Amino acid sequence: MLKENNTISLHYKKLGSGPPLLILHGLFGSLDNWQTVANSLVEYYTVYLIDLRNHGKPLHHPQMNYELMAEDLIRFIQDHKLHTVNMIGHSMGGKVLMKLLTIGESLIHKAMVVDIGIKAYHGGHEEIFKAMFSLDLDHITKRSEAEAGLLPFIPEFGVRQFILKNLDRKQDQKFEWKLNLHAIYKNYASINESLFPDHRIFTPVCFVLGSKSSYVSEEDCKEIKIYFPESEFVTVENAGHWIHADQPVKMVEVIKNFFN
């Protein structure tokens, strides 16, 4: 049963027309990450770009785990009276989607999980947390100053730009993080945990993998197939973990082929 008191109303952007397609971003992301892909889908679907709990612009909440995030989405689907729902989830969003399939499978028509498995992941974001906590936002006046502060921890230009998308100006013109950095850090262990369903899930699921990503191995695929017997796997060439950013045209093609 949905625990109303624990759910939050999620911020979203709606565009296009047709059957509903909900898209979920990954850790440290926001709905804007998928805007380019969504723009290419508006002729075919009503696209809902969604900010997950403690990311983007939703109401912040000290608690954060996959069950709560899945229940937020159940509430979203119910509040918007959506039917025959298709859903895409990238990385952390993919795990939210898999949890949703575990507790509310009947709500989802087809699902696409982008570059994440059901296994536990052992860290990998420690330097990003250090970088974000190191910035004294009260004394930063320009984004270039924030980027310079991130540089010693995050040498990759693309990752720095990705993190900087979370900076927002307050009314007093000082910067703040849009995401709830403290809650995400506090609940980071839960975000990394495994998500082995307690039963087999027969909803059609397409797992999309980046050829240059190490997030999902061949062994992981075999394990996924046990729990998701109707799953299929598509590898996008010349793409890392952020497939939708590395190969947006190919990502759109994969989405159309699977959901049509």
Side-chain angles (χ1 to χ4, degrees), residues 201-259:
I201 294 165
F202 291 92
T203 299
V205 184
C206 180
F207 287 82
V208 184
L209 316 177
S211 66
K212 297 181 178 179
S213 173
S214 60
Y215 271 69
V216 184
S217 67
E218 287 188 24
E219 287 302 311
D220 296 331
C221 293
K222 292 177 183 177
E223 196 168 45
I224 287 167
K225 195 72 176 177
I226 295 171
Y227 295 94
F228 297 88
E230 297 299 317
S231 61
E232 60 183 76
F233 298 86
V234 175
T235 298
V236 177
E237 297 300 323
N238 298 313
H241 183 56
W242 287 279
I243 300 171
H244 53 294
D246 293 341
Q247 296 291 341
V249 174
K250 183 61 178 178
M251 188 74 237
V252 169
E253 181 184 324
V254 172
I255 291 169
K256 288 181 183 177
N257 287 342
F258 179 68
F259 288 111

Side-chain angles (χ1 to χ4, degrees), residues 8-11 53-54 57-61:
I8 60 175
S9 180
L10 298 174
H11 174 248
R53 174 180 291 234
N54 289 324
K57 296 180 180 178
L59 295 172
H60 287 180
H61 197 286

Side-chain angles (χ1 to χ4, degrees), residues 2 4 9 21 39 97 100 106 118 124 140 158 223 245:
L2 186 61
E4 281 289 344
S9 180
L21 175 63
N39 289 342
L97 174 48
L100 176 54
S106 63
I118 56 178
I140 288 176
E223 196 168 45

Side-chain angles (χ1 to χ4, degrees), residues 2-10 22 50 53 59 61 67-82 87 100 103 107:
L2 186 61
K3 305 175 184 67
E4 281 289 344
N5 292 337
N6 290 329
T7 62
I8 60 175
S9 180
L10 298 174
L22 280 58
I50 296 175
R53 174 180 291 234
L59 295 172
H61 197 286
E67 183 167 359
L68 287 171
M69 288 190 281
E71 288 175 347
D72 290 341
L73 286 166
I74 291 174
R75 173 178 170 180
F76 185 92
I77 291 168
Q78 292 174 343
D79 287 350
H80 291 264
K81 297 179 172 56
L82 301 180
M87 193 176 294
L100 176 54
I103 65 176
L107 296 171

